[in-house]
Amino acid sequence: MAFTMKQMALLVAFLGAVSFILGVVAENKKPPSGTAITGKGVVICKYPSDPSVALGFTSFALLIVCAFAGGYSLFYPYKGKSVPYKALLQNKGFVAFSIVATATTLLAAVMLIWPTLTELGHRTNNVHQDLETSCPTAKTGLLGGGAFLSLDSCLFWLVALMLADNARADYFDESDDKVAGSYGADEAIKGNA
């Protein structure tokens, strides 16, 4: 099945929006701290049941799929016509937005996975020898920041896709003009002979 540019743009936008929503919900559902239960020489931290770890991992996974779809959509041969990489890379706006999209994707991935793994670590390693432990959770705000960066990266992928479309149009217009110009020149020569 051949994809159209609109389908790819909708896929990238959908994945980025869902990643953003799940990241924000994960941030809001994360408890501020756990409950300390003192035992014989240990403190056991009990955390309320919440979906923040699962939502964080899902948001991260959707961000990665969004980035792969965004990158793939830039070089996909729409309507069976592929454009040489050199022609796309001559468009400085395309190159700049592709780099910014990649950088924001990497930063969003770090900001989503770091607090998610930290929260998972707090929940699995919940027995502490230190009796002064306050049962911490992952740093507040990182998941939400990662969610907003996930949305930003999605938007940058979409802008890069629009610029790729412009570069494709320029490339095919130039190649069509060259072909049309060469036919016209041949006819002029035949007419003079």
Side-chain angles (χ1 to χ4, degrees), residues 5 8-9 12 66-67 69-76 78 88-89 91-105 152-169:
M5 194 165 284
M8 291 301 281
V12 170
C66 175
Y72 182 70
S73 70
L74 299 179
F75 302 103
Y76 182 77
Y78 297 102
L88 286 173
L89 297 178
N91 185 332
K92 294 190 187 328
F94 169 78
V95 172
F97 274 96
S98 298
I99 291 170
V100 170
T102 304
T104 55
T105 298
D152 290 344
S153 73
C154 163
L155 295 174
F156 283 124
W157 284 118
L158 291 174
V159 171
L161 182 58
M162 286 188 274
L163 291 170
D165 186 34
N166 290 344
R168 287 176 59 82

Side-chain angles (χ1 to χ4, degrees), residues 75-128:
F75 302 103
Y76 182 77
Y78 297 102
K79 297 179 184 175
K81 296 179 181 179
S82 62
V83 176
Y85 294 137
K86 186 177 180 182
L88 286 173
L89 297 178
Q90 287 177 349
N91 185 332
K92 294 190 187 328
F94 169 78
V95 172
F97 274 96
S98 298
I99 291 170
V100 170
T102 304
T104 55
T105 298
L106 292 174
L107 187 57
V110 169
M111 288 185 68
L112 284 172
I113 200 67
W114 178 20
T116 303
L117 289 175
T118 302
E119 188 69 21
L120 181 63
H122 287 310
R123 290 167 189 264
T124 56
N125 303 322
N126 62 346
V127 178
H128 302 281

Side-chain angles (χ1 to χ4, degrees), residues 5-188:
M5 194 165 284
K6 286 182 184 179
Q7 290 172 331
M8 291 301 281
L10 286 173
L11 177 67
V12 170
F14 175 76
L15 292 170
V18 174
S19 174
F20 163 70
I21 291 168
L22 293 179
V24 169
V25 171
E27 178 68 45
N28 288 333
K29 295 291 184 182
K30 187 179 74 63
S33 65
T35 305
I37 301 170
T38 307
K40 292 184 179 179
V42 294
V43 172
I44 300 170
C45 293
K46 183 175 180 184
Y47 293 96
S49 177
D50 69 277
S52 61
V53 173
L55 290 173
F57 280 125
T58 307
S59 177
F60 172 77
L62 288 173
L63 169 68
I64 298 303
V65 174
C66 175
F68 279 117
Y72 182 70
S73 70
L74 299 179
F75 302 103
Y76 182 77
Y78 297 102
K79 297 179 184 175
K81 296 179 181 179
S82 62
V83 176
Y85 294 137
K86 186 177 180 182
L88 286 173
L89 297 178
Q90 287 177 349
N91 185 332
K92 294 190 187 328
F94 169 78
V95 172
F97 274 96
S98 298
I99 291 170
V100 170
T102 304
T104 55
T105 298
L106 292 174
L107 187 57
V110 169
M111 288 185 68
L112 284 172
I113 200 67
W114 178 20
T116 303
L117 289 175
T118 302
E119 188 69 21
L120 181 63
H122 287 310
R123 290 167 189 264
T124 56
N125 303 322
N126 62 346
V127 178
H128 302 281
Q129 301 296 328
D130 182 14
L131 298 177
E132 301 297 319
T133 298
S134 62
C135 296
T137 59
K139 189 166 179 76
T140 302
L142 287 178
L143 273 170
F148 277 98
L149 279 172
S150 178
L151 183 64
D152 290 344
S153 73
C154 163
L155 295 174
F156 283 124
W157 284 118
L158 291 174
V159 171
L161 182 58
M162 286 188 274
L163 291 170
D165 186 34
N166 290 344
R168 287 176 59 82
D170 292 344
Y171 176 77
F172 288 122
D173 284 345
E174 287 178 8
S175 63
D176 289 345
D177 289 344
K178 288 178 187 174
V179 171
S182 65
Y183 290 135
D186 289 342
E187 290 172 6

